[in-house]
mmCIF file of all heavy atoms in Angstrom:
data_model
loop_
_atom_site.group_PDB
_atom_site.id
_atom_site.type_symbol
_atom_site.label_atom_id
_atom_site.label_comp_id
_atom_site.label_asym_id
_atom_site.label_seq_id
_atom_site.Cartn_x
_atom_site.Cartn_y
_atom_site.Cartn_z
ATOM 1 N N GLN L 6 -15.473 26.504 -6.007
ATOM 2 C CA GLN L 6 -16.521 25.866 -5.230
ATOM 3 C C GLN L 6 -17.526 26.914 -4.818
ATOM 4 O O GLN L 6 -17.174 28.060 -4.517
ATOM 5 C CB GLN L 6 -15.954 25.201 -3.963
ATOM 6 C CG GLN L 6 -15.353 23.845 -4.193
ATOM 7 C CD GLN L 6 -14.889 23.176 -2.923
ATOM 8 O OE1 GLN L 6 -13.705 22.931 -2.752
ATOM 9 N NE2 GLN L 6 -15.833 22.870 -2.025
ATOM 10 N N PRO L 8 -21.277 27.099 -2.377
ATOM 11 C CA PRO L 8 -20.827 28.335 -1.742
ATOM 12 C C PRO L 8 -19.502 28.136 -1.017
ATOM 13 O O PRO L 8 -19.045 27.009 -0.857
ATOM 14 C CB PRO L 8 -21.950 28.622 -0.758
ATOM 15 C CG PRO L 8 -22.438 27.264 -0.371
ATOM 16 C CD PRO L 8 -22.323 26.419 -1.602
ATOM 17 N N TRP L 10 -19.167 29.151 2.102
ATOM 18 C CA TRP L 10 -19.606 28.740 3.439
ATOM 19 C C TRP L 10 -21.129 28.698 3.451
ATOM 20 O O TRP L 10 -21.798 29.421 2.708
ATOM 21 C CB TRP L 10 -19.079 29.677 4.522
ATOM 22 C CG TRP L 10 -19.481 31.112 4.370
ATOM 23 C CD1 TRP L 10 -18.815 32.081 3.699
ATOM 24 C CD2 TRP L 10 -20.674 31.726 4.887
ATOM 25 N NE1 TRP L 10 -19.509 33.262 3.752
ATOM 26 C CE2 TRP L 10 -20.650 33.087 4.487
ATOM 27 C CE3 TRP L 10 -21.756 31.264 5.641
ATOM 28 C CZ2 TRP L 10 -21.666 33.969 4.820
ATOM 29 C CZ3 TRP L 10 -22.762 32.162 5.971
ATOM 30 C CH2 TRP L 10 -22.712 33.491 5.560
ATOM 31 N N ILE L 12 -24.526 27.880 6.310
ATOM 32 C CA ILE L 12 -25.086 27.505 7.603
ATOM 33 C C ILE L 12 -26.505 27.029 7.356
ATOM 34 O O ILE L 12 -27.279 27.705 6.674
ATOM 35 C CB ILE L 12 -25.077 28.694 8.583
ATOM 36 C CG1 ILE L 12 -23.647 29.202 8.795
ATOM 37 C CG2 ILE L 12 -25.703 28.292 9.913
ATOM 38 C CD1 ILE L 12 -23.566 30.483 9.613
ATOM 39 N N THR L 17 -32.129 19.694 6.949
ATOM 40 C CA THR L 17 -32.197 20.228 5.588
ATOM 41 C C THR L 17 -31.072 19.643 4.734
ATOM 42 O O THR L 17 -30.143 19.021 5.244
ATOM 43 C CB THR L 17 -32.096 21.754 5.582
ATOM 44 O OG1 THR L 17 -30.833 22.142 6.173
ATOM 45 C CG2 THR L 17 -33.227 22.368 6.385
ATOM 46 N N ARG L 24 -16.551 23.347 -9.732
ATOM 47 C CA ARG L 24 -16.392 23.584 -11.162
ATOM 48 C C ARG L 24 -14.922 23.717 -11.547
ATOM 49 O O ARG L 24 -14.140 24.364 -10.845
ATOM 50 C CB ARG L 24 -17.097 24.881 -11.585
ATOM 51 C CG ARG L 24 -18.593 24.844 -11.470
ATOM 52 C CD ARG L 24 -19.232 26.150 -11.933
ATOM 53 N NE ARG L 24 -20.678 26.146 -11.706
ATOM 54 C CZ ARG L 24 -21.566 25.702 -12.564
ATOM 55 N NH1 ARG L 24 -21.162 25.205 -13.733
ATOM 56 N NH2 ARG L 24 -22.845 25.728 -12.285
ATOM 57 N N ASP L 27 -11.243 26.305 -16.288
ATOM 58 C CA ASP L 27 -10.496 26.485 -17.528
ATOM 59 C C ASP L 27 -9.986 25.171 -18.098
ATOM 60 O O ASP L 27 -9.067 25.158 -18.920
ATOM 61 C CB ASP L 27 -9.345 27.468 -17.330
ATOM 62 C CG ASP L 27 -8.516 27.123 -16.106
ATOM 63 O OD1 ASP L 27 -8.806 26.107 -15.449
ATOM 64 O OD2 ASP L 27 -7.581 27.875 -15.809
ATOM 65 N N GLN L 42 -6.757 18.479 10.894
ATOM 66 C CA GLN L 42 -6.533 17.125 10.404
ATOM 67 C C GLN L 42 -6.286 17.132 8.903
ATOM 68 O O GLN L 42 -6.492 18.139 8.226
ATOM 69 C CB GLN L 42 -7.721 16.230 10.735
ATOM 70 C CG GLN L 42 -7.907 15.966 12.217
ATOM 71 C CD GLN L 42 -8.933 14.890 12.488
ATOM 72 O OE1 GLN L 42 -9.162 14.015 11.656
ATOM 73 N NE2 GLN L 42 -9.557 14.950 13.652
ATOM 74 N N ALA L 48 -15.137 10.397 -1.939
ATOM 75 C CA ALA L 48 -15.602 9.714 -3.141
ATOM 76 C C ALA L 48 -14.880 10.227 -4.367
ATOM 77 O O ALA L 48 -14.353 11.340 -4.378
ATOM 78 C CB ALA L 48 -17.110 9.912 -3.313
ATOM 79 N N SER L 73 -21.451 16.996 -15.992
ATOM 80 C CA SER L 73 -20.726 17.524 -17.143
ATOM 81 C C SER L 73 -19.226 17.464 -16.865
ATOM 82 O O SER L 73 -18.800 17.130 -15.759
ATOM 83 C CB SER L 73 -21.142 18.964 -17.425
ATOM 84 O OG SER L 73 -20.539 19.855 -16.509
ATOM 85 N N SER L 77 -19.240 19.091 -10.836
ATOM 86 C CA SER L 77 -19.638 18.000 -9.951
ATOM 87 C C SER L 77 -20.329 18.630 -8.742
ATOM 88 O O SER L 77 -19.927 19.711 -8.291
ATOM 89 C CB SER L 77 -18.433 17.179 -9.503
ATOM 90 O OG SER L 77 -18.817 16.170 -8.592
ATOM 91 N N GLU L 87 -23.188 16.728 13.121
ATOM 92 C CA GLU L 87 -21.938 15.968 12.922
ATOM 93 C C GLU L 87 -21.442 16.021 11.480
ATOM 94 O O GLU L 87 -20.306 15.601 11.192
ATOM 95 C CB GLU L 87 -22.110 14.510 13.361
ATOM 96 C CG GLU L 87 -23.211 13.764 12.651
ATOM 97 C CD GLU L 87 -24.518 13.785 13.433
ATOM 98 O OE1 GLU L 87 -24.767 14.761 14.176
ATOM 99 O OE2 GLU L 87 -25.290 12.821 13.280
ATOM 100 N N TYR L 92 -15.482 20.957 3.362
ATOM 101 C CA TYR L 92 -15.547 20.049 2.225
ATOM 102 C C TYR L 92 -14.748 20.645 1.063
ATOM 103 O O TYR L 92 -14.939 21.798 0.689
ATOM 104 C CB TYR L 92 -16.992 19.804 1.802
ATOM 105 C CG TYR L 92 -17.783 19.042 2.834
ATOM 106 C CD1 TYR L 92 -18.442 19.703 3.873
ATOM 107 C CD2 TYR L 92 -17.858 17.657 2.790
ATOM 108 C CE1 TYR L 92 -19.140 19.001 4.837
ATOM 109 C CE2 TYR L 92 -18.571 16.945 3.744
ATOM 110 C CZ TYR L 92 -19.212 17.618 4.766
ATOM 111 O OH TYR L 92 -19.903 16.917 5.719
ATOM 112 N N LEU L 119 -26.720 23.584 12.235
ATOM 113 C CA LEU L 119 -27.150 23.972 13.585
ATOM 114 C C LEU L 119 -28.118 22.965 14.181
ATOM 115 O O LEU L 119 -28.835 22.271 13.459
ATOM 116 C CB LEU L 119 -27.800 25.363 13.532
ATOM 117 C CG LEU L 119 -26.904 26.476 12.971
ATOM 118 C CD1 LEU L 119 -27.683 27.768 12.899
ATOM 119 C CD2 LEU L 119 -25.670 26.636 13.830
#
Side-chain angles (χ1 to χ4, degrees):
Chain L
Q6 278 184 244
W10 59 270
I12 301 173
T17 60
R24 293 181 185 271
D27 49 2
Q42 293 190 26
S73 77
S77 177
E87 58 265 30
Y92 293 87
L119 302 177

